[in-house]
């Protein structure tokens, strides 16, 4: 994409170009190169020649006539679309095959968020550790989707899996009978369904925030340092996070323990 000011101090104009190729089951399906002028379709490369886009008018027709006279340019474009692009795409797919086919089942739990107001509840459905990224999560009443469902951003974990938080603001008296449904490719068509109030809830919203920070910071970590004393080598353990204790979390806050001496 680029702009260029015309000769003689005329107005700038904008050209946009998109090009690529597609493949399925190891076979090249096709390639494309499209050009736009001032935000509107202008021309494309089809087969072995340039063709004006429908509705582009005489300017596009004239541009194609000029471009089609440059045989060397057409040969380069053909080579890029028919040979270079499919080979490049095949190489990327081969290198990333294991990642593209990776399937990790999600874990899900429910919690109550900060109350939105008197007599209301914020129901929170947490979905964590899934791969690939696309996931469908919805608060339901029976088979009816709840329009008030609010979906957060899908956030990455350090191991390449994902986390999602989906909420529903509801009157406390209407919470009974609601459920969170999770649909993901790794589940083989067997959705996860969590019913509000039927299972033990996870940590409160305050401790959920603490848990997420713990997850982002790497959770449990150790620092090892070596120190030479009198010809011997000693290893010292640094700090580490204690395992999560949800019973303690319900009382207000997780517990962080420090073990060993400071390594610095």
């Amino acid at each position: 994409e680029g702009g260029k000011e015309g000769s003689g101090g005329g107005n700038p104009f904008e050209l946009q170009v998109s090009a690529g190729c597609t493949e399925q089951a190891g076979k090249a399906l096709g390639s494309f190169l499209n050009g736009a002028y001032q935000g509107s379709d202008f021309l494309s490369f089809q087969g072995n020649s340039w063709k004006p886009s429908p509705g582009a008018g005489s300017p596009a027709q004239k541009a194609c006539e000029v471009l089609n006279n440059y045989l060397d340019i057409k040969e380069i474009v053909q080579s890029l679309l028919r040979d270079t692009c499919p080979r490049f795409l095949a190489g990327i797919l081969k290198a990333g095959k294991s990642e593209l086919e990776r399937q990790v089942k999600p874990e899900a739990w429910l919690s109550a968020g900060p109350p939105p107001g008197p007599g209301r509840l914020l129901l929170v459905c947490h979905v964590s550790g899934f791969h690939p990224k696309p996931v469908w999560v919805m608060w339901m009443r029976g088979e009816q989707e709840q329009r008030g469902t609010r979906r957060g951003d899908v956030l990455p974990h350090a191991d390449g899996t994902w986390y999602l938080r989906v909420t529903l603001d509801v009157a406390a008296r209407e919470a009974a009978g609601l459920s969170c449904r999770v649909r993901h490719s790794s589940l083989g068509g067997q959705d996860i369904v969590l019913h509000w109030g039927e299972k033990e809830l996870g940590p409160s919203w305050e401790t959920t925030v603490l848990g997420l920070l713990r997850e982002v910071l790497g959770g449990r970590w150790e620092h090892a340092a070596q120190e030479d004393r009198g010809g011997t080598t000693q290893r010292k353990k640094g700090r580490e996070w204690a395992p999560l204790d949800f019973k303690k979390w319900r009382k207000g806050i997780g517990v962080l323990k420090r073990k060993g001496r400071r390594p610095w």
Side-chain angles (χ1 to χ4, degrees):
E1 179 182 321
K4 180 180 179 182
E5 193 170 305
S7 59
N11 294 327
F13 61 87
E14 184 178 13
L15 297 176
Q16 296 171 300
V17 177
S18 64
C21 52
T22 58
E23 179 179 301
Q24 184 175 359
K27 296 182 179 179
L29 296 181
S31 57
F32 62 89
L33 190 155
N34 302 312
Y37 174 72
Q38 299 292 66
S40 299
D41 291 339
F42 192 68
L43 53 75
S44 62
F45 192 84
Q46 301 178 25
N48 57 2
S49 64
W50 299 93
K51 298 183 182 296
S53 299
S58 58
Q61 183 68 45
K62 292 178 181 178
C64 290
E65 291 175 359
V66 172
L67 288 172
N68 283 326
N69 288 328
Y70 290 92
L71 299 181
D72 51 346
I73 293 179
K74 291 200 298 182
E75 290 178 357
I76 292 173
V77 172
Q78 281 182 293
S79 177
L80 289 173
L81 295 179
R82 294 182 180 179
D83 301 322
T84 305
C85 184
R87 287 203 309 269
F88 179 69
L89 178 59
I92 291 178
L93 293 176
K94 182 178 180 180
K97 184 178 180 180
S98 60
E99 182 65 18
L100 291 172
E101 295 179 349
R102 181 185 178 199
Q103 294 283 334
V104 182
K105 293 182 179 181
E107 295 181 1
W109 68 95
L110 305 180
S111 70
R120 302 196 67 81
L121 291 175
L122 184 66
L123 313 186
V124 185
C125 184
H126 306 266
V127 185
S128 183
F130 57 91
H131 190 280
K133 186 177 181 180
V135 65
W136 182 91
V137 182
M138 182 65 64
W139 278 99
M140 311 283 292
R141 186 178 297 279
E143 295 300 319
Q144 183 178 0
E145 299 179 6
Q146 299 302 290
R147 294 183 178 180
T149 298
R150 295 290 179 267
R151 177 186 172 110
D153 294 330
V154 182
L155 304 176
H157 287 309
D159 62 358
T161 61
W162 301 91
Y163 168 85
L164 175 64
R165 180 177 182 267
V166 177
T167 63
L168 180 65
D169 179 353
V170 65
R173 64 181 180 276
E174 298 176 357
L178 290 170
S179 63
C180 177
R181 182 181 293 270
V182 180
R183 192 170 295 159
H184 189 258
S185 59
S186 65
L187 297 174
Q190 300 295 319
D191 297 349
I192 296 175
V193 180
L194 300 178
H195 296 275
W196 181 261
E198 290 189 6
K199 291 187 177 181
E200 187 177 8
L201 297 182
S204 64
W205 67 272
E206 298 97 333
T207 52
T208 298
V209 170
L210 180 61
L212 290 176
L213 288 174
R214 176 181 180 274
E215 187 90 29
V216 172
L217 294 174
R220 185 182 181 98
W221 62 282
E222 292 185 357
H223 177 87
Q226 289 188 345
E227 181 179 18
D228 183 76
R229 294 180 179 176
T232 63
T233 299
Q234 298 179 345
R235 294 181 63 85
K236 298 191 297 185
K237 266 191 177 181
R239 297 177 295 181
E240 68 178 23
W241 294 89
L244 299 180
D245 187 334
F246 288 111
K247 291 184 179 179
K248 291 182 179 179
W249 274 28
R250 290 192 205 93
K251 296 180 180 178
I253 189 169
V255 178
L256 173 65
K257 295 181 181 178
R258 294 173 181 257
K259 297 181 180 180
R261 297 162 49 194
R262 294 174 64 90
W264 53 82

